[in-house]
């Protein structure tokens, strides 16, 4: 593998432009020159490969249609021989199919003809930043978050996250509820060159349909009844950063059309504005639903599906990586202790841990946290025993990274939590009233330590 050394920060960045149209090459050369970037031009694949052999580059920009091949071939060639050089492709207007193919092949990003110079400059700036210091820009250690576990599935997920952080391609994160899809999206952002810019997460199912366009794209004062001030939409709030669309399957069809245009054109038009505004946002999306099935049912647009699902990333269910449970348990007990101001970190008995590792976890990591919090509220000492877990009776689920959790399982757990919490709250309030809100006396009456009572009061929201 040939990997030319990147120029030092003191050196001028250098870009390779490949296009058989002299006008496009000249436009790119003038634009990059004004940005202080040196350029070399090639008019076909053969010239491009020769220049790559002899010259060090921080960026490559190629047209899709070339006399002796196409841009996809060059993307694949650079991925194989010069993996640290970001490649952007120039596509014909409206030809999103070729842009998606290029992104799947490993292209850093794309720009459409006619070239919008502001969009082009933003793309070049991001690519040069990545190409000039790839190791410094992309490192898991630089993330403020962590994906816990040493199972094969978790290690593979961490590796995929690191690779995807080097791209601008849209990523669709598939996984059951509670598996950590938002954490995965945040890790991709945190390990990317966008990490110093905003990460905006939105649950698409939580916004009323009539407010959705304003939330996404913003509005101008007076554009509709109730628009008393200008509003910055989520796209502009995430400019230069990442927009995470959680539960994207819940978007109504009319918003799917508007979202598709915003992604393709890299611009948005706030309600009431006459002109579109360019926006530089990387789109990450997620859902626990099967988008392909929704497309077949006519409930999700096929063109949007292929646009956001350029790269699919599956987050494994907790039952498929049970060996990670001890590390997750230790981490969550430490967090619960800190949140509750406990002097000692609670422990889990060996039998309790084994029981957790055999449980199918229809609610995944989120359910594990709820089980531990509930057990901690019930224990008398500092050790959680097997009986303290109070796990619902659920038939073991098949190991599948994309299967939806059984509906009955979620209802069983929710009903049990509600019943236990209601009973606890009533007993504690009665004890506090009998002792005239003396917590020490109330704890003694309930057979609890003052620490246990304080935790339950906080957990149950007793005023």
């Amino acid at each position: 593998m040939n990997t030319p050394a990147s120029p030092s920060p003191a050196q001028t960045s250098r870009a390779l432009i490949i296009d058989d149209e002299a006008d496009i090459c000249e436009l790119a050369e003038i634009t990059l020159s004004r940005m202080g970037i040196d350029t070399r031009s090639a008019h076909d694949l053969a010239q491009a490969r020769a220049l790559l052999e002899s010259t060090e580059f921080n960026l490559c920009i190629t047209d899709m249609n070339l006399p002796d091949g196409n841009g996809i071939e060059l993307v694949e060639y650079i991925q194989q021989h010069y993996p640290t050089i970001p490649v952007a492709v120039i596509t014909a207007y409206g030809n999103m199919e070729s842009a998606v193919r290029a992104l799947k092949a490993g292209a850093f990003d794309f720009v459409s003809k006619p070239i919008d110079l502001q969009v082009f400059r933003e793309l070049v700036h991001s690519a040069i930043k990545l190409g000039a210091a790839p190791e410094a820009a992309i490192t898991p250690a630089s993330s403020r978050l962590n994906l816990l576990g040493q199972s094969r599935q978790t290690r593979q997920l961490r590796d995929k996250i690191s690779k995807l952080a080097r791209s601008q391609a849209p990523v669709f994160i598939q996984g059951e509820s509670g598996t950590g899809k938002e954490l995965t999206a945040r890790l991709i952002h945190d390990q990317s060159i966008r990490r110093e810019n905003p990460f905006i997460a939105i649950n698409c199912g939580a916004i009323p349909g009539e407010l959705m366009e304003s939330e996404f794209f913003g509005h101008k004062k007076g554009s509709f009844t109730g628009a008393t001030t200008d509003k910055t939409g989520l796209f502009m709030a995430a400019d230069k950063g990442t927009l995470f669309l959680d539960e994207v399957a819940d978007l109504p069809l009319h918003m799917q059309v508007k979202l598709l245009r915003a992604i393709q054109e890299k611009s948005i038009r706030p309600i009431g504005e006459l002109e579109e505004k360019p926006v530089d946002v990387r789109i990450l999306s997620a859902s626990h639903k099967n988008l392909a099935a929704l497309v077949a049912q006519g409930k999700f647009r096929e063109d949007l599906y292929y646009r956001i699902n350029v790269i699919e990333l599956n987050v494994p269910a907790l039952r498929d990586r049970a060996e990670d449970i001890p590390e997750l348990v230790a981490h969550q007990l430490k967090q619960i202790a800190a949140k509750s101001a406990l002097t000692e970190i609670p422990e889990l008995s060996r039998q309790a841990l084994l029981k957790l590792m055999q449980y199918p976890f229809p609610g995944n990591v989120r359910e594990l946290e709820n089980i531990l919090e509930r057990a901690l509220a019930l224990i008398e000492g500092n050790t959680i025993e097997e009986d303290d877990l109070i796990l619902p009776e659920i038939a073991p689920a098949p190991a599948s990274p994309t299967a939806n959790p059984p509906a009955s399982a979620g209802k069983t757990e929710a009903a049990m939590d509600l019943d236990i919490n209601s009973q606890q709250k009533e007993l504690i309030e009665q004890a506090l009233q009998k002792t005239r809100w003396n917590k020490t006396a109330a704890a003694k009456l309930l057979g609890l330590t003052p620490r246990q009572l304080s935790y339950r009061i906080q957990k149950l929201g007793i005023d």
Side-chain angles (χ1 to χ4, degrees):
M1 180 186 293
N2 301 316
T3 308
S6 298
S8 68
Q11 291 177 292
T12 301
S13 296
R14 188 176 296 114
L16 173 60
I17 311 297
I18 307 103
D19 200 304
D20 60 343
E21 294 184 39
D23 290 348
I24 296 291
C25 288
E26 184 178 359
L27 176 64
E29 288 171 0
I30 293 171
T31 303
L32 295 181
S33 176
R34 289 175 178 172
M35 296 175 68
I37 299 170
D38 187 22
T39 61
R40 300 286 188 277
S41 292
H43 301 296
D44 56 37
L45 290 178
Q47 291 179 15
R49 287 170 179 162
L51 282 170
L52 285 164
E53 284 286 336
S54 61
T55 311
E56 297 174 3
F57 291 101
N58 302 89
L59 166 66
C60 177
I61 301 171
T62 179
D63 191 20
M64 283 296 291
N65 299 312
L66 298 168
D68 55 348
N70 61 58
I72 300 290
E73 294 178 54
L74 186 61
V75 170
E76 293 171 342
Y77 177 81
I78 292 177
Q79 281 284 300
Q80 181 179 355
H81 298 283
Y82 309 98
T84 62
I85 301 178
V87 188
V89 297
I90 302 172
T91 65
Y93 176 76
N95 191 352
M96 289 308 302
E97 182 180 348
S98 61
V100 169
R101 284 173 52 217
L103 291 170
K104 285 183 179 291
F108 169 77
D109 208 343
F110 73 94
V111 62
S112 299
K113 296 178 183 177
I115 295 175
D116 183 308
L117 291 183
Q118 183 173 343
V119 172
F120 183 69
R121 283 190 289 265
E122 292 289 353
L123 180 151
V124 169
H125 176 75
S126 296
I128 288 292
K129 184 178 177 182
L130 177 63
E135 297 303 323
I138 308 299
T139 167
S142 67
S143 176
R144 292 153 284 192
L145 302 166
N146 193 17
L147 184 64
L148 298 175
Q150 298 303 319
S151 66
R152 176 180 58 82
Q153 294 89 337
T154 301
R155 293 197 308 271
Q156 288 178 343
L157 180 58
R158 277 197 291 263
D159 289 343
K160 289 176 181 176
I161 287 171
S162 295
K163 291 176 182 176
L164 293 177
R166 290 187 56 83
S167 170
Q168 298 296 292
V171 178
F172 177 67
I173 303 170
Q174 175 76 50
E176 297 177 7
S177 294
T179 50
K181 296 186 291 295
E182 182 172 340
L183 171 63
T184 301
R186 286 183 180 274
L187 286 166
I188 293 173
H189 171 81
D190 267 15
Q191 294 177 35
S192 76
I193 58 173
R194 295 177 177 266
R195 68 183 184 276
E196 300 302 327
N197 297 310
F199 175 91
I200 304 293
I202 177 171
N203 188 319
C204 296
I207 304 176
E210 65 273 14
L211 300 178
M212 196 164 281
E213 185 175 356
S214 173
E215 287 293 318
F216 271 68
F217 308 125
H219 63 249
K220 192 175 180 181
K221 179 181 177 180
S223 56
F224 56 87
T225 304
T228 56
T229 60
D230 289 348
K231 177 181 176 64
T232 300
L234 294 167
F235 266 80
M236 290 306 299
D239 192 34
K240 308 295 190 297
T242 302
L243 184 61
F244 174 56
L245 305 176
D246 197 8
E247 297 306 339
V248 70
D250 292 337
L251 280 176
L253 287 172
H254 78 277
M255 273 305 299
Q256 292 179 28
V257 176
K258 295 179 183 295
L259 175 61
L260 177 64
R261 176 172 175 77
I263 295 173
Q264 291 184 167
E265 303 304 321
K266 298 185 178 182
S267 63
I268 56 109
R269 186 168 68 87
I271 299 173
E273 291 281 0
L274 297 178
E275 297 182 356
E276 292 193 339
K277 297 181 177 181
V279 62
D280 175 20
V281 169
R282 184 180 188 184
I283 299 293
L284 305 178
S285 57
S287 178
H288 72 281
K289 298 179 180 178
N290 187 327
L291 276 191
L294 293 177
V295 169
Q297 296 166 17
K299 296 179 179 178
F300 199 86
R301 290 183 62 96
E302 186 176 24
D303 46 7
L304 179 59
Y305 170 70
Y306 286 115
R307 191 65 192 87
I308 64 175
N309 194 27
V310 173
I311 300 173
E312 184 171 310
L313 181 62
N314 286 313
V315 180
L318 184 55
R319 63 180 170 273
D320 294 332
R321 55 186 188 103
E323 62 191 275
D324 292 339
I325 289 177
E327 187 175 346
L328 290 168
V329 166
H331 173 74
Q332 291 185 359
L333 287 177
K334 186 176 179 180
Q335 283 196 320
I336 293 170
K339 183 171 62 176
S340 306
L342 302 181
T343 55
E344 294 181 72
I345 298 175
E347 297 179 345
L348 208 66
S349 72
R350 184 173 179 276
Q351 287 303 315
L353 182 60
L354 287 174
K355 188 170 184 178
L356 284 179
M357 294 180 71
Q358 294 167 358
Y359 179 67
F361 283 104
N364 293 289
V365 179
R366 189 182 298 130
E367 183 184 6
L368 173 61
E369 183 177 355
N370 291 338
I371 288 170
L372 293 175
E373 286 199 349
R374 182 176 63 207
L376 191 59
L378 296 174
I379 62 172
E380 300 300 331
N382 202 50
T383 301
I384 298 174
E385 300 291 348
E386 183 178 356
D387 291 341
D388 297 323
L389 298 174
I390 318 180
L391 301 180
E393 293 295 329
I394 299 174
S400 169
T402 57
N404 290 331
S408 59
K411 291 179 182 177
T412 302
E413 184 197 2
M416 182 171 289
D417 281 345
L418 184 62
D419 186 48
I420 291 173
N421 289 343
S422 178
Q423 291 177 25
Q424 283 191 66
K425 188 172 184 179
E426 184 178 352
L427 288 172
I428 291 172
E429 286 177 341
Q430 288 176 359
L432 286 168
Q433 288 170 0
K434 285 182 181 178
T435 60
R436 297 186 178 183
W437 299 90
N438 184 317
K439 291 182 182 179
T440 303
K444 186 175 181 180
L445 186 64
L446 292 165
L448 301 173
T449 65
R451 185 202 75 178
Q452 291 170 336
L453 179 60
S454 294
Y455 174 82
R456 295 184 197 193
I457 288 173
Q458 178 186 356
K459 174 71 176 175
L460 297 171
I462 297 173
D463 185 4

